[in-house]
Amino acid sequence: MTRPFRQQVDESILDQAAALFARRGVAKTSLQEVADAVGLSKTGLLHHFPSKDALREAVVAQANSLGQRVLDQVRDLPVGVDRDRTALEVLVDVAFAHPGMVAMLLIPVARGGDDVVVPGPTDGGVGGAAFDAFGVDPVIPASERAVRVAGALAALAVLSLAAHHDDQISTWRPHIVATCFDALGHGRVARSGSDQVED
């Protein structure tokens, strides 16, 4: 198996595992369920990840890697409108490419519990990187900006999952970005029949 293909297969496994972990929790998700979701035998899955613990650790590592990719694309921009717009564009693309990770990131918000896989906003991962991308420290007491960022991220997650589920990624993408941009407190104006953001 060539390296790019193997990486693509591994990413697919990790995203399916993340989706199952989100739905059922790690403890209640079997390796057989993950194997079935990706069309492998259990032995084939174990060839990629030798145990459920290894799979769980790989999911966390993938979340951290995705978070780093987001930060790499906005790091050099000053905090403000342009950085917000770029961060939203990047995060929407990440969300569409990795819906299982997005579902898993919603678990602490939706139901909490001890069976959460991805590190919280203070520990890294896509969640922590998302706050960092907007220049917000999630550890300090909540400010209006922090609440707006949290609202925009929650909307982005829910809407991207719905768009993915309904196979409407390209149709919904500009509307998701515009909605999240509004949630951040930036205005919108309709020009030439399409929604575009204004500063």
Side-chain angles (χ1 to χ4, degrees):
M1 189 179 303
T2 63
R3 183 139 182 92
F5 182 71
R6 168 83 188 238
Q7 182 178 351
Q8 189 176 26
V9 170
D10 286 352
E11 285 187 10
S12 176
I13 292 169
L14 295 176
D15 200 61
Q16 288 293 332
L20 288 168
F21 292 163
R23 218 173 302 136
R24 300 179 40 79
V26 177
K28 293 181 181 177
T29 301
S30 71
L31 285 174
Q32 186 63 58
E33 289 171 312
V34 177
D36 291 344
V38 296
L40 293 173
S41 66
K42 184 175 176 182
T43 303
L45 176 64
L46 290 170
H47 177 72
H48 292 267
F49 302 98
S51 67
K52 190 177 357 177
D53 284 340
L55 181 59
R56 182 180 192 275
E57 289 171 15
V59 167
V60 171
Q62 175 72 353
N64 288 334
S65 174
L66 292 171
Q68 191 58 52
R69 276 192 236 168
V70 171
L71 285 177
D72 288 347
Q73 294 190 45
V74 299
R75 174 176 286 119
D76 295 333
L77 297 172
V79 174
V81 174
D82 290 338
R83 181 169 171 157
D84 285 355
R85 185 179 294 117
T86 302
L88 286 172
E89 296 277 348
V90 172
L91 284 165
V92 166
D93 291 341
V94 167
F96 284 152
H98 304 278
M101 292 286 175
V102 172
M104 192 176 60
L105 288 168
L106 283 175
I107 292 308
V109 175
R111 73 171 188 242
D114 297 331
D115 204 16
V116 175
V117 178
V118 175
T122 61
D123 298 326
V126 178
F131 278 91
D132 288 345
F134 293 102
V136 171
D137 183 350
V139 178
I140 62 173
S143 63
E144 179 183 351
R145 172 76 173 161
V147 171
R148 285 185 176 278
V149 168
L153 292 173
L156 188 151
V158 170
L159 292 172
S160 67
L161 288 172
H164 195 275
H165 180 268
D166 292 345
D167 198 23
Q168 295 293 317
I169 291 172
S170 61
T171 304
W172 287 30
R173 187 182 187 283
H175 305 300
I176 294 171
V177 172
T179 298
C180 296
F181 201 71
D182 283 351
L184 292 172
H186 306 301
R188 250 184 348 134
V189 65
R191 290 186 218 144
S192 304
S194 66
D195 287 339
Q196 296 181 351
V197 292
E198 68 175 6
D199 298 345

